[in-house]
Amino acid sequence: MSKRVKIFTVEDVAGHRSSSSCWLSYRGKVYNVSGFLADHPGGEEIILRYGGQPVDNVMNDKEEHEHSEAAYDMLEEFLIGKVGTDETTVSDDWVATDDYHPDNTDTAADFAKNEFIDLRKPLLRQVWEANFSKSFYLKQIHQPRHLAKSARMFGPSYLEVFTRTAWYVVPAFWLPITAYLFLRSLFQFHGPLPAFTSNPYLPLASILDIPAESYLKVLPCFLFGNLMWTILEYVLHRFLFHLDDYLPDANYALTLHFLLHGVHHYLPMDRLRLVMPPVLFTVLQFPFTQLAYKLFPVAVANGVIAGAFTFYVVYDCMHYALHHTNLPAYMKEMKKYHLGHHYKNYELGFGVTSKIWDIVFNTVLPI
């Protein structure tokens, strides 16, 4: 892949129109002519006039400035890439339906046309060795493709297994942890417990001795955790997973973006990549749970974390359902709303379980 010509967008070219950095496009190819400005026989002014633009008409206009065959040969010395396809599938005209089922992508035709990622090969290495600009990556990653089976992220199977997660893994893995944290909070409101590192076991035999007062203390913590998750759901989705404009134009940044969320927008109906692998959520939750333990007494923190984890499980299972399940009325509405985020406008509609924070922060997606 690294031997292929680098692919840019029209916007990439348009961003270089000064004497210090002047690009042109001609017949779909991109040229950096910054070092040629002073040597141009017609003067640098004429090049700067068309900087950042296609110059097909100008190059062929003898009245503007006639070019010899040698001039065209010289132009090739400044070749840095090509302009990629501008095809889009996401559109404000997209209409949500209750039974939306997109057609599968012709993988060979898609790669031949867009020269982005070959869906027939492991994906991650292609992004790591990318020959495209950040602008081209972001434009392509938000144009959904669809496959009958999950695309492969890694070549080796021992790595691939960590990237695929069936929806039921989330409740099976996280609900026991959540229940443990809730019970630990309950016991801690009743009396001191040994540190988890010295004795993680709970005195379950005395659970019936816990007074109602302890339940009344843990419940507000749990509900506060529920609320905190709804905020985190919105904040992480909008400001971490969609950190598009602030990404460095570097392959490591594109690869990280692709792993975190880009692959989901690229393949939004992939059944095995709709919920977070336990390894990924373990990493994401760590700074927030540690912050909870810094801010609150340990009994309160455990109750808050239990509430947040409960709503995380609801969020991930609901996310899967919004893509692949027949749903009751409220969830049908949220399904249309969330699919609109994928197929209508990915810069709006960040709420998955509800629209409440989209309403608060004025990012509601009209459906």
Side-chain angles (χ1 to χ4, degrees):
M1 177 178 287
S2 59
K3 295 182 179 180
R4 288 187 285 146
V5 173
K6 186 160 187 176
I7 303 175
F8 299 98
T9 62
V10 171
E11 292 77 13
D12 284 324
V13 180
H16 296 267
R17 53 195 315 164
S18 67
S19 57
S20 60
S21 181
C22 186
W23 294 8
L24 307 168
S25 67
Y26 176 65
R27 294 185 175 178
K29 296 180 180 180
V30 180
Y31 301 89
N32 182 352
V33 294
S34 308
F36 180 65
L37 293 176
D39 298 325
H40 184 238
E44 67 178 51
E45 293 81 9
I46 190 171
I47 296 182
L48 290 174
R49 189 189 313 162
Y50 297 101
Q53 304 174 50
V55 294
D56 300 65
N57 293 334
V58 178
M59 293 288 286
N60 296 323
D61 187 351
K62 294 183 179 180
E63 294 184 5
E64 180 72 62
H65 181 66
E66 188 170 1
H67 294 89
S68 65
E69 288 299 322
Y72 289 99
D73 292 338
M74 186 181 298
L75 184 63
E76 292 303 309
E77 297 176 14
F78 302 98
L79 177 68
I80 60 170
K82 62 185 286 188
V83 178
T85 178
D86 207 30
E87 179 187 36
T88 59
T89 56
V90 170
S91 169
D92 285 336
D93 298 330
W94 181 82
V95 177
T97 60
D98 289 340
D99 58 345
Y100 181 66
H101 295 291
D103 295 331
N104 287 336
T105 300
D106 182 331
T107 54
D110 177 68
F111 182 67
K113 183 174 184 177
N114 296 295
E115 299 182 84
F116 179 51
I117 294 175
D118 190 341
L119 289 165
R120 299 164 295 181
K121 300 177 181 178
L123 307 182
L124 202 62
R125 183 172 179 177
Q126 295 182 70
V127 181
W128 179 256
E129 298 177 346
N131 68 319
F132 35 76
S133 69
K134 181 187 89 168
S135 177
F136 186 73
Y137 164 83
L138 291 174
K139 182 169 288 188
Q140 288 291 324
I141 213 69
H142 291 299
Q143 310 305 318
R145 274 73 163 180
H146 308 94
L147 301 178
K149 298 180 179 179
S150 287
R152 197 170 185 87
M153 289 283 279
F154 290 99
S157 295
Y158 61 84
L159 293 176
E160 181 68 11
V161 67
F162 292 105
T163 74
R164 302 185 181 196
T165 309
W167 72 267
Y168 51 80
V169 170
V170 171
F173 186 89
W174 289 106
L175 285 183
I177 295 172
T178 301
Y180 174 83
L181 290 170
F182 182 86
L183 290 172
R184 192 168 183 85
S185 175
L186 190 61
F187 279 111
Q188 287 167 329
F189 275 119
H190 179 50
L193 286 179
F196 175 83
T197 51
S198 61
N199 182 9
Y201 296 103
L202 298 175
L204 294 178
S206 62
I207 193 168
L208 296 179
D209 298 328
I210 297 176
E213 181 183 358
S214 295
Y215 287 91
L216 292 175
K217 288 180 178 178
V218 75
L219 185 59
C221 302
F222 184 83
L223 294 176
F224 180 69
N226 294 164
L227 175 65
M228 288 307 300
W229 171 258
T230 67
I231 298 172
L232 285 174
E233 172 192 319
Y234 179 88
V235 169
L236 290 173
H237 192 183
R238 181 178 178 183
F239 297 109
L240 177 61
F241 297 160
H242 282 271
L243 196 69
D244 299 5
D245 293 339
Y246 301 98
L247 283 175
D249 194 350
N251 287 11
Y252 76 87
L254 302 187
T255 302
L256 182 60
H257 180 275
F258 188 76
L259 270 173
L260 278 176
H261 199 58
V263 66
H264 176 51
H265 272 263
Y266 192 54
L267 298 166
M269 293 298 182
D270 188 331
R271 291 176 179 272
L272 295 180
R273 295 200 173 91
L274 285 171
V275 298
M276 288 191 208
V279 172
L280 177 57
F281 187 69
T282 298
V283 173
L284 288 178
Q285 61 80 31
F286 183 77
F288 298 103
T289 54
Q290 293 307 300
L291 179 61
Y293 286 123
K294 294 288 185 182
L295 294 176
F296 305 116
V298 65
V300 175
N302 282 329
V304 170
I305 295 167
F309 279 13
T310 299
F311 260 37
Y312 158 67
V313 172
V314 171
Y315 154 82
D316 239 355
C317 292
M318 183 169 172
H319 185 220
Y320 178 88
L322 295 181
H323 282 264
H324 282 295
T325 309
N326 291 323
L327 301 165
Y330 169 74
M331 292 182 68
K332 280 185 179 180
E333 181 63 27
M334 288 308 301
K335 177 174 184 174
K336 293 178 181 179
Y337 188 72
H338 181 64
L339 291 183
H341 172 72
H342 284 281
Y343 294 96
K344 188 179 179 74
N345 187 340
Y346 55 84
E347 295 180 323
L348 296 173
F350 298 103
V352 174
T353 54
S354 80
K355 303 177 187 178
I356 183 170
W357 297 112
D358 280 317
I359 295 171
V360 171
F361 294 109
N362 196 30
T363 54
V364 173
L365 175 61
I367 295 295

